[in-house]
Amino acid sequence: MNDGSPLADAQQQFVDALSNKTNETEICRLSAALGRTLASDVQAPTDMPPYHRAIVEGWLVNSADTQGADEGSPISFNITGNIIPGDESCPVPGTGKALRVATGSIVVDGPVAIIRPWEGKEDGNMVSITRPFPPRFFIEEQGYDLKQDATAVAAGTIISAAEIGTIASLGIDEIEVARAPKVTLFASGDEVIPYTDPLKPGSIRDSNSIMLASAVTEAGGVPVIAGIMGDNFDKFVAAVKTAIESSDMIVISGGTAVGGRDFISDLLKEVG
Amino acid sequence: MRSGRPLIMGKAGNTPIICVAGHPPEALRGFNLFGVAAINKLTDRDAELPADSQNNQAPPPQKP
């Protein structure tokens, strides 16, 4: 959001002058998607969760059978089976019957409820309760997180670990992302030397190129270190012109201070 | 930007060109402010304009 400050205005003007490249996309495996920008919505191919499921362990009973239970007149159920995660279906508990359920298990549709472990007293194959339970108590409904075809992750989202998890939970491995822009980096100045070279009096190590390359990667671009350009104007112009042909963006470090501003300004005029 | 820590931005056709200061902290600051904003635009990201990390810093100490 532009807060109206001179800096924000300058950023906004610059950004507005650029054209986006929404048409340039590519398919990316999920394992390589961290930091990429999603180019098209990811939609849920099925309801999520794909079935009603227990969100606590306990006993599954018909809700209607629990009505009227209290401390003075507990109601007992006969435990007739177990439902565990991985089971493909869940039967309807019969009248006066209960099924042990584990967290995450598939649960049948209809007016059933889960009695949590501390709300029932198990004795042998019986469990008794002293309060009623409403229908669908502690049951997560099919499609609770996402309905089929709903947008799970919207285009324009920067993919983080959380989005990767969401998309993986949908069984999707390939997504459409914006092509990562290629950013060519130049360092300028006769005094600038590669950062691995021995330092000489008056020289300056080029730490900017590798630093800015890292920043480009962090921002979602693909850096290309074009190297150090001396103060030869014509050579610099030629190198930048060549780079423009294969780059989406150019970054030049150095040469913008008062003494060198004309050099960079002239260079921009020459290549622009 | 402060005097002595200038930034120059331009375009060659549709290619943005950003010239940042040579002083490394200012080079990174300039890139973060304008380079990241440009990459966000190029990739059509839903992202706010990057904030200035030095915005909330106290002014430099004055001599008595």
Side-chain angles (χ1 to χ4, degrees):
Chain A
M1 184 185 294
N2 185 344
D3 61 8
S5 69
L7 171 60
D9 280 345
Q11 288 174 300
Q12 194 66 59
Q13 279 183 38
F14 179 55
V15 165
D16 288 346
L18 306 178
S19 59
N20 58 20
K21 302 197 172 182
T22 50
N23 294 329
E24 298 185 34
T25 64
E26 58 193 15
I27 300 301
C28 174
R29 297 283 303 272
L30 203 51
S31 56
L34 186 66
R36 303 297 297 271
T37 307
L38 193 62
S40 58
D41 292 346
V42 172
Q43 293 173 312
T46 59
D47 288 341
M48 292 300 293
Y51 47 81
H52 310 303
R53 66 182 174 193
I55 55 174
V56 289
E57 64 180 64
W59 300 274
L60 184 72
V61 297
N62 283 304
S63 171
D65 294 348
T66 70
Q67 304 310 307
D70 61 25
E71 292 289 342
S73 52
I75 295 176
S76 294
F77 296 85
N78 184 18
I79 302 169
T80 58
N82 298 289
I83 305 297
I84 58 173
D87 285 352
E88 293 181 5
S89 63
C90 172
V92 178
T95 301
K97 304 283 197 294
L99 296 164
R100 279 195 202 89
V101 290
T103 306
S105 303
I106 189 169
V107 171
V108 68
D109 202 0
V112 292
I114 295 176
I115 302 164
R116 293 174 292 181
W118 56 91
E119 293 171 316
K121 187 175 177 184
E122 189 170 316
D123 184 11
N125 64 341
M126 301 296 287
V127 59
S128 60
I129 57 168
T130 55
R131 55 155 284 196
F133 291 86
R136 313 307 287 170
F137 194 60
F138 278 86
I139 295 169
E140 190 173 63
E141 302 298 335
Q142 177 177 331
Y144 176 81
D145 293 333
L146 282 169
K147 292 290 185 192
Q148 184 176 9
D149 297 329
T151 297
V153 186
T157 301
I158 301 168
I159 301 294
S160 70
E163 281 77 33
I164 287 176
T166 299
I167 296 167
S169 76
L170 302 174
I172 295 170
D173 186 45
E174 292 186 336
I175 54 175
E176 187 180 15
V177 296
R179 182 176 62 78
K182 185 174 165 186
V183 181
T184 300
L185 302 156
F186 290 97
S188 72
D190 282 335
E191 75 285 11
V192 181
I193 61 172
Y195 73 94
T196 49
D197 281 6
L199 201 58
K200 296 175 288 190
S203 61
I204 298 171
R205 288 196 179 105
D206 174 28
S207 58
N208 281 348
S209 290
I210 193 165
M211 174 181 71
L212 293 174
S214 302
V216 167
T217 302
E218 209 169 52
V222 177
V224 177
I225 296 179
I228 301 162
M229 300 304 298
D231 292 330
N232 183 307
F233 186 80
D234 292 336
K235 278 179 70 176
F236 208 154
V237 167
V240 173
K241 278 185 172 174
T242 300
I244 285 169
E245 291 172 12
S246 60
S247 305
D248 299 295
M249 185 166 132
I250 306 287
V251 176
I252 300 168
S253 68
T256 60
V258 176
R261 193 174 297 171
D262 290 344
F263 181 89
I264 293 294
S265 297
D266 289 347
L267 184 140
L268 286 181
K269 283 177 196 157
E270 195 68 31
V271 301
Chain B
M1 305 304 288
R2 292 183 198 172
S3 173
R5 295 165 178 173
L7 280 160
I8 301 172
M9 277 79 69
K11 260 180 26 166
N14 282 324
T15 306
I17 302 180
I18 301 173
C19 305
V20 298
H23 183 52
E26 289 304 316
L28 187 58
R29 182 185 176 202
F31 177 80
N32 284 338
L33 288 171
F34 289 90
V36 172
I39 288 176
N40 287 343
K41 178 69 179 278
L42 292 175
T43 54
D44 211 21
R45 283 183 165 176
D46 290 334
E48 293 189 355
L49 291 173
D52 189 356
S53 58
Q54 295 187 9
N55 235 0
N56 297 322
Q57 288 192 354
Q62 302 295 310
K63 286 183 181 175

